[in-house]
Amino acid sequence: VVNALLYESFPNDPIVGEEDSGSLRGDSGKELREKVLSLVNNVLDTPLGDKELLDAIDRGTYPGGSRGRMWTIDPIDGTMGFLRGEQFCVGLALLIDGDVHLSVLGCPNLPVDLKAPEGERGCLFVAVKGQGAFQRKFSSTEEKQIHMADISSPSAATFCESFVPAHSSHGEAAEIASLLGITKSPLRMDSMCKYCVVSKGDADIYLRLPVRIDYEENIWDHAPGYLVVKEAGGIVSDIHNKPLDFSLGRTLKANKGIVVTHPKIHGQVIDAVQK
């Protein structure tokens, strides 16, 4: 759906997407293809046929790079959270010459107020470079500007991390929390919703610590959340305090791990991560 709408408005913009149409093709993919086509055509004003559906998905195969405009999309970030009925999001970002200029994150299961988890759910987060970060409820068109929580000592922080230990080392995160004097339990959730809860002040630190030396983060997993945090007043770096480099293709080849914090405590968090 997103790829089709982008193509309608920006036919010359390439897309770096996570998925391809392989599993929908041929006789083996017929049943799933028909289900997907039915769902897509319930949403779009102009219905797609089989070929147009597959073409729309496969627009996401662009290799990325440092020149010109391109979009990056993760249609379901946090697949495990989606399957558990918990946190997942749809993340979209516009990059120009390797720099993130616009991002949108749709978080259907995220409580509007994290302190009232049984209350209304469904939040949209929007950021434009130099214009701030905003949140709106799915049930409203009113946008509210969001900011990182003001924090001067990491010991008072709440940190969040991946729900699944295979994505980020829980053990190392606990050691870092101990070094920083953090006593609050970590907030664990799937997907770029972690960027969102930090950007609106419901958590103060997001750590994604590498579990394999050869692992490269994908740009679609971080570009949308990165700009929301930056525009909310936060800092996003890798574990070596290097800025994230989105200009090297489909992955963050030059970076290892992710550290998201308030500028006042970023240095202390990096020191603890390095130790």
Side-chain angles (χ1 to χ4, degrees):
V1 167
V2 176
N3 285 5
L5 293 173
L6 286 177
Y7 183 69
E8 215 172 88
S9 298
F10 309 105
N12 298 318
D13 285 5
I15 302 169
V16 179
E18 183 172 15
E19 311 297 344
D20 64 51
S21 68
S23 57
L24 302 183
R25 290 184 178 273
D27 291 341
S28 61
K30 184 173 186 288
E31 186 182 351
L32 185 57
R33 183 171 68 247
E34 287 174 352
K35 283 183 183 175
V36 172
L37 193 61
S38 169
L39 290 166
V40 165
N41 287 336
N42 277 337
V43 176
L44 293 177
D45 292 334
T46 307
L48 302 183
D50 274 22
K51 182 180 184 305
E52 294 149 314
L53 172 80
L54 301 175
D55 287 349
I57 295 169
D58 285 337
R59 283 193 196 101
T61 56
Y62 187 66
S66 60
R67 302 291 296 276
R69 286 168 54 100
M70 62 179 174
W71 299 83
T72 186
I73 179 168
D74 193 339
I76 299 185
D77 180 43
T79 311
M80 298 304 289
F82 175 74
L83 293 172
R84 284 197 311 274
E86 294 175 6
Q87 296 310 323
F88 71 99
C89 78
V90 182
L92 178 70
L94 170 66
L95 290 88
I96 303 174
D97 297 334
D99 193 20
V100 188
H101 279 247
L102 164 75
S103 72
V104 186
L105 290 146
C107 309
N109 276 341
L110 191 65
V112 171
D113 180 357
L114 216 56
K115 297 181 185 70
E118 301 309 312
E120 185 179 352
R121 292 176 173 237
C123 304
L124 193 72
F125 295 84
V126 183
V128 178
K129 186 179 179 182
Q131 295 183 33
F134 297 83
Q135 175 187 349
R136 57 173 265 203
K137 300 184 285 189
F138 276 15
S139 61
S140 166
T141 56
E142 183 188 350
E143 292 184 352
K144 182 181 106 183
Q145 190 162 9
I146 53 173
H147 303 279
M148 294 274 292
D150 192 20
I151 185 169
S152 54
S153 169
S155 62
T158 298
F159 80 88
C160 61
E161 61 184 357
S162 298
F163 191 94
V164 181
H167 293 167
S168 183
S169 172
H170 287 175
E172 287 182 347
E175 288 181 45
I176 291 162
S178 177
L179 284 169
L180 292 168
I182 295 172
T183 54
K184 294 178 188 172
S185 298
L187 181 63
R188 287 185 180 149
M189 62 174 63
D190 300 279
S191 84
M192 281 183 282
C193 287
K194 293 186 285 294
Y195 280 102
C196 299
V197 297
V198 170
S199 67
K200 64 188 267 193
D202 287 328
D204 308 290
I205 300 169
Y206 163 32
L207 298 177
R208 187 171 170 100
L209 305 170
V211 290
R212 293 200 327 262
I213 195 73
D214 62 337
Y215 184 73
E216 294 178 1
E217 298 283 353
N218 299 304
I219 68 168
W220 53 77
D221 285 328
H222 298 286
Y226 163 87
L227 188 64
V228 170
V229 165
K230 283 199 74 176
E231 289 297 319
I235 291 184
V236 185
S237 75
D238 74 0
I239 60 170
H240 303 299
N241 203 19
K242 288 167 62 179
L244 303 190
D245 187 346
F246 295 101
S247 70
L248 301 176
R250 293 170 66 86
T251 65
L252 296 170
K253 292 180 177 63
N255 299 113
K256 286 292 172 207
I258 307 287
V259 177
V260 179
T261 62
H262 193 285
K264 287 181 182 174
I265 63 171
H266 189 77
Q268 293 164 274
V269 175
I270 289 289
D271 287 347
V273 169
Q274 290 290 303
K275 281 179 188 168

